[in-house]
Amino acid sequence: MEKRPEVTCNTPLRQAVEEYLSRGMTRAHIPGHKGQPYGLFGDVMRYDVTEVRGTDSLYEAREAIAACEARFARMYGAAHTLLSAGGSTLCIQTMLALAAQRGEKILMGRNCHISAVNAAALLGLTPEWIYPTRPALEGWAAMTGPEDVQKALAQHPDAAAVYLTSPDYFGALADLEAIARLCHRAGMPLLVDNAHGAHLAFLGEGLHPMAQGADLCCDSLHKNMPALTGAALLHLAGEEFFPAAKLRMSWFGSTSPSYLIMLSADALLGEEDRWRREFPRCAGRVGRLKELAARCGFALQRESCDTVKLTLGIAARGYDAASFGDLLNRYQIEPEYLNDLACVLMFTPFNTEEDYARVERLLREAAGPQRPAPEREVLRPERLLPLREAFFAPGRLVPVEESAGCVAAATISRCPPGMALVVPGEQISPRLALLLKNYGVRQVNVV
């Protein structure tokens, strides 16, 4: 009798899948590759399984996936954590679906991701926008402050929840502890899109939204942690939302969630000590880059910010996207984001010393006196139709030059960073039409 390999891994889902593989079963089930090496992926295909005996089921988790989620909850200090193979988008949809049962109006930071706008439209929620006013970067981003939330709470005491993004795409961190106190005093839950901040739990006590009082919070594991794209977590602070959470997630998620994505998340378990050593080390290395960037004349964030993300205000050095892009190419650096005002560089413990050295050489070549940067214009379009009505209205495409005065039928955003310039139901002003054109938008879907 053939001897099966011994299963020695210590993470729940990996162990369950390995045990299934060790049984040598005939795969008379999906997926069609039957675990055989194919294409680019070789032997990894054998781990691409589905819901069979022993591997559990994401939306009815009782065994390995439930154990995986319980360990993530302990890692992040949550009462419950749900695993997502559909990225933070699926977690955001679930958060808003959970909030929807409490009412239809929700206070949302205007710097939210497009996925939140689309989910609100699908769920029939009415966003009441919180426009951030606190400057975070010269000429560029702003972060929602407690004073902004306090004003919105006073204007809309009947809202179901407050939904914020922190850190934002550029690394600015909101004062969530103060904001959570305001929300809870008003009897509202605080929902946080922490897609760019899964690593914050390993950078010091109290930095992660769950430690600051968030009631629901999503993390994209693939953005800063070594997980496959699509791996994410949804954290719940208490029991209130837990009974409905898996059901709401199943409304939006695939009925065939990727086991490869989930296994890549599962692999992070048991390595908390490693991340608590390596992320502070990475933050120290990025901190030295920030000090050099400041000496070289680049504008940096004024407010509290993610210590492993380097956001450079390039306009303060006289660069635009084209000229700074040429410099990046010369030093073989691919940025996370670049426009005429700012460049975003993301780092993790997996960046090499040569990566840092390239950025240092670039900064030194670009060094010079800092100059005043142009302020980014923040427009506040007027809502003429309810979000959901415009979202589902028959639309027509018009050239952006002819869109002034029209009502948008679709969210318009550049991704990255994925923040909405206009959402369905809002009127496109002549100034906004010009801004859209400057962003490279050629056609607009209007009602």
Side-chain angles (χ1 to χ4, degrees):
M1 183 175 180
E2 182 183 356
K3 185 178 179 181
R4 297 298 179 193
E6 184 180 355
V7 178
T8 59
C9 55
N10 64 356
T11 56
L13 189 55
R14 171 78 182 275
Q15 184 171 11
V17 173
E18 291 278 18
E19 286 176 352
Y20 170 70
L21 297 179
S22 74
R23 295 199 294 270
M25 306 294 286
T26 294
R27 294 198 189 189
H29 58 74
I30 62 171
H33 56 69
K34 307 301 181 182
Q36 299 300 315
Y38 185 79
L40 296 175
F41 302 105
D43 194 50
V44 75
M45 300 292 274
R46 65 196 294 265
Y47 291 94
D48 186 33
V49 298
T50 189
E51 297 94 338
V52 294
R53 278 183 301 144
T55 63
D56 211 351
S57 176
L58 180 58
Y59 307 120
E60 299 85 24
R62 298 288 186 273
E63 300 166 331
I65 293 175
C68 176
E69 292 177 329
R71 286 181 63 175
F72 272 119
R74 290 194 295 273
M75 180 188 293
Y76 282 95
H80 300 280
T81 294
L82 278 60
L83 186 59
S84 166
S88 278
T89 293
L90 177 56
C91 298
I92 288 167
Q93 292 164 336
T94 305
M95 284 197 293
L96 292 175
L98 289 167
Q101 64 187 335
R102 299 170 58 93
E104 64 176 7
K105 184 189 292 186
I106 188 163
L107 305 179
M108 298 182 72
R110 182 65 187 212
N111 61 343
C112 68
H113 191 267
I114 185 176
S115 59
V117 178
N118 293 339
L122 291 170
L123 292 163
L125 293 170
T126 300
E128 296 295 344
W129 298 115
I130 305 174
Y131 282 90
T133 56
R134 188 176 291 186
L137 177 68
E138 179 86 29
W140 179 242
M143 176 47 67
T144 302
E147 64 279 5
D148 304 318
V149 175
Q150 179 65 71
K151 181 179 178 182
L153 289 169
Q155 292 175 337
H156 304 282
D158 57 336
V162 174
Y163 176 96
L164 298 178
T165 303
S166 177
D168 70 6
Y169 186 77
F170 305 97
L173 294 165
D175 184 355
L176 293 179
E177 191 170 1
I179 291 171
R181 286 197 298 267
L182 293 172
C183 293
H184 297 157
R185 197 177 301 148
M188 291 185 205
L190 173 61
L191 286 53
V192 179
D193 173 0
N194 184 59
H196 282 266
H199 62 294
L200 293 176
F202 310 108
L203 280 170
E205 296 297 325
L207 286 177
H208 192 275
M210 295 309 293
Q212 295 187 312
D215 297 280
L216 297 171
C217 167
C218 69
D219 291 346
S220 281
L221 294 176
H222 69 93
K223 286 183 169 66
N224 295 88
M225 307 293 289
L228 292 179
T229 299
L233 302 172
L234 174 58
H235 305 295
L236 290 70
E239 302 298 324
E240 176 186 3
F241 295 110
F242 182 64
K246 284 282 185 177
L247 173 62
R248 300 293 191 269
M249 182 175 276
S250 71
W251 289 354
F252 296 96
S254 170
T255 55
S256 298
S258 167
Y259 271 75
L260 293 180
I261 292 175
M262 292 191 291
L263 281 166
S264 76
D266 175 83
L268 302 176
L269 296 169
E271 297 213 299
E272 297 99 311
D273 289 343
R274 175 185 177 184
W275 309 130
R276 288 193 176 94
R277 289 192 311 270
E278 295 190 0
F279 271 103
R281 194 175 300 145
C282 175
R285 193 65 183 83
V286 175
R288 294 198 293 276
L289 287 180
K290 291 184 178 183
E291 291 171 1
L292 176 60
R295 293 196 302 270
C296 291
F298 290 92
L300 299 176
Q301 287 167 312
R302 302 167 179 164
E303 295 283 319
S304 176
C305 60
D306 184 354
T307 53
V308 298
K309 182 175 281 187
L310 176 60
T311 299
L312 301 168
I314 63 171
R317 271 296 306 114
Y319 287 97
D320 58 15
S323 58
F324 200 71
D326 289 342
L327 198 59
L328 289 165
N329 287 333
R330 193 181 315 157
Y331 286 97
Q332 295 181 277
I333 300 167
E334 186 64 37
E336 166 65 19
Y337 179 75
L338 175 65
N339 78 350
D340 285 339
L341 295 176
C343 175
V344 178
L345 303 175
M346 293 175 62
F347 296 90
T348 77
F350 290 86
N351 282 106
T352 66
E353 186 55 38
E354 174 57 22
D355 294 333
Y356 294 112
R358 287 177 178 178
V359 177
E360 287 176 351
R361 291 194 292 269
L362 177 150
L363 293 173
R364 288 193 174 97
E365 177 173 334
Q370 189 173 125
R371 63 184 69 179
E375 287 296 320
R376 176 176 179 257
E377 185 175 10
V378 178
L379 301 178
R380 302 187 180 197
E382 181 183 1
R383 181 167 60 208
L384 297 185
L385 288 177
L387 171 63
R388 182 179 172 87
E389 180 181 337
F391 189 82
F392 285 104
R396 56 190 177 89
L397 284 174
V398 300
V400 68
E401 296 87 354
E402 300 174 14
S403 65
C406 296
V407 175
T411 306
I412 303 173
S413 105
R414 297 291 299 275
C415 194
M419 296 181 292
L421 298 167
V422 63
V423 304
E426 292 180 342
Q427 186 176 43
I428 301 171
S429 67
R431 186 75 191 102
L432 179 55
L434 180 60
L435 180 64
L436 295 175
K437 184 176 181 179
N438 291 340
Y439 269 106
V441 177
R442 295 290 172 261
Q443 289 183 309
V444 180
N445 198 344
V446 301
V447 175

